[in-house]
Amino acid sequence: MCTPGSIPVFESISAADFRSTIQPTRRPAILRGMPVGPCVPAWADLEHLKRHTPNGPVRIHVTTHAHMDFRRKNFQYGTLDFHTLLERASRDPEEAITEPFIDPRELYYLRSVSLDPRSRETVRLERDFPDLAHEFRLPEFFPPDRFFSSVLRVSSPGVRVWTHYDVLDNVYVQVVGRKRAVMWAPSDALNLYLDGDKSRVVDIDQPDLAAFPKFAQATPFEGWLEPGDILFIPAMWFHNMTARDFGVAVNVFWQNLDQGLYDRKDPYGNRDLLPGAKALRMLDNVMKQLEELPEDLKDFYGRQLIARIEKKCLLNEKCPE
Amino acid sequence: MCTPGSIPVFESISAADFRSTIQPTRRPAILRGMPVGPCVPAWADLEHLKRHTPNGPVRIHVTTHAHMDFRRKNFQYGTLDFHTLLERASRDPEEAITEPFIDPRELYYLRSVSLDPRSRETVRLERDFPDLAHEFRLPEFFPPDRFFSSVLRVSSPGVRVWTHYDVLDNVYVQVVGRKRAVMWAPSDALNLYLDGDKSRVVDIDQPDLAAFPKFAQATPFEGWLEPGDILFIPAMWFHNMTARDFGVAVNVFWQNLDQGLYDRKDPYGNRDLLPGAKALRMLDNVMKQLEELPEDLKDFYGRQLIARIEKKCLLNEKCPE
């Protein structure tokens, strides 16, 4: 494995600097001190937040375990009015909830989706939370026609979202509370035991190395987001986000590659790029050819296939700087 | 890596034992003391050999380096009358050759091919060397209709043939001289840096680990063949054979799998099994899909393909016993 590192912090740079010198490196970065509008610190005031948001129902994750586990399903889905969510998520977690879904000490996580279920558009802050959108400004990280979605995220203290990747470049603007980010390069994919876009290694701090031995070879990069910090998450970089406090964030995605490469029916920005998805589908037919061989020869030709992919598709492994 | 081992030696077993308990293990074995006819020791007498063979031209490898290297091409092809080949290959290697191809101390290697170039049949000892065939008897390792080819091999002392695999089960009957065999399991394919059916690691005793680091993880199995010994080489087992002395051997191949799995246009028994060859061809189209992606994403999806093959085709890695 390479030496674990920190996500570099860039202070008071311009959006033009981001486009010319940070984004092309395909490496994560924390951008500190960029202007993001009056949301910082305005949204830290719960009453302000409630005054500037509709109180409609939102779909949420409810969990009694701070570390959500998509495999063991230690959470469930529920619906709360938005203001109730804000009150419950921002309370002292030791304070018991009356009328909980599961447990008086349950925790919440919102990843906003379009409030209009008939809409085929991706989620946009200015459509569902227009007053918040007025108080939020994103530096010009990308041409406006490349915009994909802007997602509001609300977390109870401690809530951790499992390690996963997105197929779009995105910036995670932390507005309220602090958050810990742990990231891995796309080249660590084989060390993360993927299940689709998610890593099966849920406990990243005390991993089960008997079950996931290669995880020890993965190289984590860690950083802390303060209110107002912007985390650049390059497409395909694995990220694991843990709220230290009650958290509110806006996560903005854009299509950084040729637009024809993206799946048009992808509201969340995590469906595989079309060439990748097609390759994976086609591979199933390749492997079907080997079904008629005895197990040892299927293994043998499986290794031959792997050797050819390593030779033709993989970059030389080197440690990220 | 696993612990390097020895190829086990089985003394005086029967052909039925071979079929019931050795061949199904898919592991190499040296069978010692089985009846192979009067060829041992008759062929050790050069004059006897010459009296019982036609003196037609044969195609040979000529090399000044005992360790033949198919990548650096440190050998060339030539044609000699069979008796001249026998005389030259069996001489003291310090003795200079008059009218050499390359060098007075050159070495020779014959892997017999059909003497009738118009024949589409595979090579058969009884057709090209009928008097030798009379003196050679193979225990009934396989049903007669599964026979594929019987290859006569003649080597100067020291000549080493590069590590490669064959797609058919075969027995290597050492008749004259001693030979060192080093073998690796099919599951070591990725550690052997294959170029088709051959390993690019030519010097297996002092490997260039800077160029071939994974070779250090490969597990060699070693054995010595004495005159009369029979080495069972299961299909896909990598083998590297070095003649210690002037050597004569008969290598018999048979179709151990469903006959429809073999390439019909394969005189040497080293063309990939049809399902494997088809899978490898199809994989090229899979990888073509990824061409339109940037290098880092091609790498990313390449790793996803590998992860899927590992999951669906590979056996759990464990050390061979």
Side-chain angles (χ1 to χ4, degrees):
Chain A
M1 107 182 241
C2 305
T3 315
S6 296
I7 301 169
V9 178
F10 295 86
E11 302 251 6
S12 304
I13 63 157
S14 70
D17 290 338
F18 170 81
R19 295 194 307 266
S20 64
T21 66
I22 294 178
Q23 191 187 16
T25 65
R26 315 308 302 146
R27 304 191 47 72
I30 294 172
L31 316 177
R32 184 159 287 163
M34 293 189 95
V36 294
C39 56
V40 181
W43 299 359
D45 173 1
L46 194 67
E47 294 310 313
H48 176 101
L49 262 187
K50 284 159 69 176
R51 274 198 309 275
H52 291 80
T53 49
N55 191 22
V58 287
R59 286 292 282 172
I60 48 166
H61 293 67
V62 186
T63 179
T64 54
H65 299 77
H67 299 176
M68 289 196 290
D69 184 339
F70 69 97
R71 300 192 80 214
R72 291 186 193 152
K73 281 274 166 16
N74 61 358
F75 59 87
Q76 64 179 55
Y77 296 98
T79 301
L80 277 181
D81 285 339
F82 188 63
H83 293 179
T84 310
L85 166 70
L86 290 176
E87 281 159 11
R88 290 188 176 193
S90 63
R91 85 189 192 283
D92 178 341
E94 293 304 306
E95 194 182 307
I97 285 169
T98 46
E99 295 188 49
F101 290 87
I102 322 171
D103 184 277
R105 285 189 174 71
E106 67 195 19
L107 302 168
Y108 303 93
Y109 175 67
L110 166 74
R111 182 248 188 251
S112 68
V113 293
S114 186
L115 293 186
D116 175 0
R118 288 163 305 180
S119 166
R120 294 187 165 213
E121 290 178 63
T122 58
V123 64
R124 281 194 297 130
L125 188 71
E126 57 269 49
R127 191 183 50 215
D128 294 330
F129 300 96
D131 287 355
L132 293 189
H134 269 121
E135 299 182 325
F136 174 80
R137 267 192 288 289
L138 192 72
E140 208 172 315
F141 291 133
F142 52 86
D145 65 334
R146 291 306 187 110
F147 172 84
F148 179 76
S149 66
S150 47
V151 177
L152 186 71
R153 298 188 190 271
V154 176
S155 322
S156 291
V159 163
R160 168 179 291 174
V161 178
W162 46 76
T163 306
H164 68 285
Y165 69 88
D166 301 295
V167 303
L168 300 160
D169 276 9
N170 63 97
V171 282
Y172 193 108
V173 185
Q174 184 68 17
V175 180
V176 178
R178 283 173 297 173
K179 208 160 265 169
R180 178 187 177 217
V182 184
M183 300 180 70
W184 294 263
S187 57
D188 261 335
L190 294 191
N191 298 325
L192 295 179
Y193 299 86
L194 296 188
D195 189 343
D197 61 331
K198 304 172 187 65
S199 167
R200 289 157 55 204
V201 187
V202 171
D203 189 344
I204 61 169
D205 294 311
Q206 295 180 301
D208 178 355
L209 292 180
F212 308 116
K214 288 197 283 189
F215 186 73
Q217 294 167 43
T219 305
F221 292 83
E222 192 167 338
W224 279 92
L225 303 183
E226 303 287 333
D229 282 355
I230 300 174
L231 174 64
F232 169 50
I233 304 179
M236 313 301 177
W237 270 77
F238 299 92
H239 48 287
N240 181 294
M241 308 293 284
T242 309
R244 173 164 169 147
D245 319 298
F246 165 62
V248 181
V250 181
N251 193 183
V252 182
F253 294 76
W254 71 96
Q255 295 183 320
N256 51 300
L257 298 176
D258 183 301
Q259 290 174 290
L261 296 173
Y262 297 102
D263 187 334
R264 287 193 187 182
K265 294 176 194 151
D266 178 15
Y268 297 106
N270 57 8
R271 287 214 189 163
D272 279 315
L273 294 174
L274 292 176
K278 190 167 179 195
L280 287 161
R281 274 198 311 276
M282 289 170 71
L283 183 70
D284 286 339
N285 277 327
V286 172
M287 293 191 294
K288 220 169 265 170
Q289 300 304 317
L290 304 184
E291 291 298 332
E292 54 183 317
L293 294 176
E295 289 299 305
D296 60 327
L297 299 185
K298 193 173 151 188
D299 174 283
F300 176 76
Y301 281 110
R303 288 174 201 270
Q304 300 267 40
L305 295 172
I306 289 172
R308 202 168 285 204
I309 297 170
E310 285 182 340
K311 195 170 164 188
K312 289 208 179 172
C313 298
L314 266 45
L315 298 168
N316 283 328
E317 284 188 58
K318 52 181 183 234
C319 289
E321 286 144 27
Chain B
M1 109 183 239
C2 304
T3 315
S6 296
I7 301 168
V9 177
F10 295 84
E11 303 251 4
S12 304
I13 62 158
S14 71
D17 290 339
F18 170 81
R19 294 194 307 267
S20 64
T21 66
I22 295 178
Q23 192 186 16
T25 66
R26 314 310 301 146
R27 304 189 49 71
I30 293 171
L31 316 176
R32 185 160 290 165
M34 293 189 95
V36 295
C39 57
V40 182
W43 299 359
D45 173 0
L46 195 66
E47 294 311 315
H48 176 101
L49 261 187
K50 282 158 68 177
R51 275 198 309 275
H52 291 80
T53 50
N55 191 22
V58 286
R59 287 291 283 174
I60 48 165
H61 293 66
V62 186
T63 179
T64 53
H65 299 77
H67 298 176
M68 289 196 290
D69 184 339
F70 70 96
R71 301 192 79 215
R72 291 190 191 147
K73 283 273 168 15
N74 60 359
F75 59 86
Q76 64 179 56
Y77 296 99
T79 301
L80 276 182
D81 285 339
F82 187 64
H83 293 180
T84 310
L85 166 70
L86 290 175
E87 282 158 12
R88 289 188 177 194
S90 64
R91 85 189 192 283
D92 178 340
E94 292 305 305
E95 193 184 307
I97 285 169
T98 46
E99 295 188 48
F101 290 88
I102 321 171
D103 183 278
R105 284 186 175 74
E106 67 196 16
L107 303 168
Y108 303 93
Y109 175 67
L110 166 74
R111 182 250 187 249
S112 69
V113 293
S114 186
L115 292 185
D116 175 0
R118 286 163 306 179
S119 166
R120 293 186 167 214
E121 291 177 63
T122 59
V123 64
R124 279 194 297 131
L125 188 71
E126 57 269 49
R127 190 182 52 214
D128 295 330
F129 300 96
D131 289 356
L132 294 189
H134 269 122
E135 300 182 325
F136 175 82
R137 265 193 290 288
L138 192 72
E140 209 173 314
F141 292 132
F142 52 87
D145 65 336
R146 291 306 187 111
F147 171 85
F148 179 77
S149 66
S150 47
V151 176
L152 186 71
R153 298 189 191 269
V154 176
S155 321
S156 291
V159 163
R160 168 179 291 174
V161 178
W162 48 75
T163 306
H164 69 286
Y165 69 89
D166 301 295
V167 303
L168 299 161
D169 275 10
N170 63 97
V171 283
Y172 192 109
V173 185
Q174 185 68 16
V175 181
V176 177
R178 282 173 297 172
K179 209 161 264 171
R180 177 188 179 218
V182 185
M183 300 181 68
W184 295 263
S187 57
D188 261 335
L190 294 191
N191 298 325
L192 294 178
Y193 299 88
L194 296 189
D195 189 342
D197 61 331
K198 304 173 186 67
S199 167
R200 289 157 54 205
V201 187
V202 171
D203 189 344
I204 61 169
D205 294 311
Q206 295 180 300
D208 179 354
L209 291 179
F212 307 116
K214 288 197 283 189
F215 186 73
Q217 293 167 44
T219 305
F221 291 84
E222 193 166 338
W224 279 92
L225 303 183
E226 303 288 333
D229 282 356
I230 301 174
L231 175 64
F232 170 49
I233 304 180
M236 312 303 178
W237 269 77
F238 298 92
H239 48 286
N240 181 294
M241 308 294 283
T242 309
R244 173 161 170 151
D245 319 298
F246 165 61
V248 181
V250 181
N251 194 183
V252 182
F253 294 76
W254 71 96
Q255 295 183 320
N256 52 301
L257 298 177
D258 183 303
Q259 291 175 288
L261 296 174
Y262 297 101
D263 188 334
R264 288 192 187 183
K265 294 177 193 151
D266 179 15
Y268 297 106
N270 58 8
R271 286 213 190 165
D272 279 314
L273 294 173
L274 292 176
K278 190 167 178 195
L280 286 162
R281 275 200 309 277
M282 288 170 73
L283 183 69
D284 287 338
N285 277 327
V286 172
M287 293 192 293
K288 219 170 266 170
Q289 301 303 317
L290 304 183
E291 290 299 332
E292 53 183 317
L293 295 176
E295 288 298 305
D296 60 327
L297 298 185
K298 194 173 150 188
D299 174 283
F300 176 76
Y301 281 110
R303 288 173 200 271
Q304 301 267 40
L305 295 173
I306 289 172
R308 203 168 284 205
I309 296 170
E310 285 181 341
K311 195 170 164 188
K312 290 209 178 171
C313 298
L314 300 200
L315 299 168
N316 283 327
E317 285 188 58
K318 52 179 182 237
C319 289
E321 284 144 29

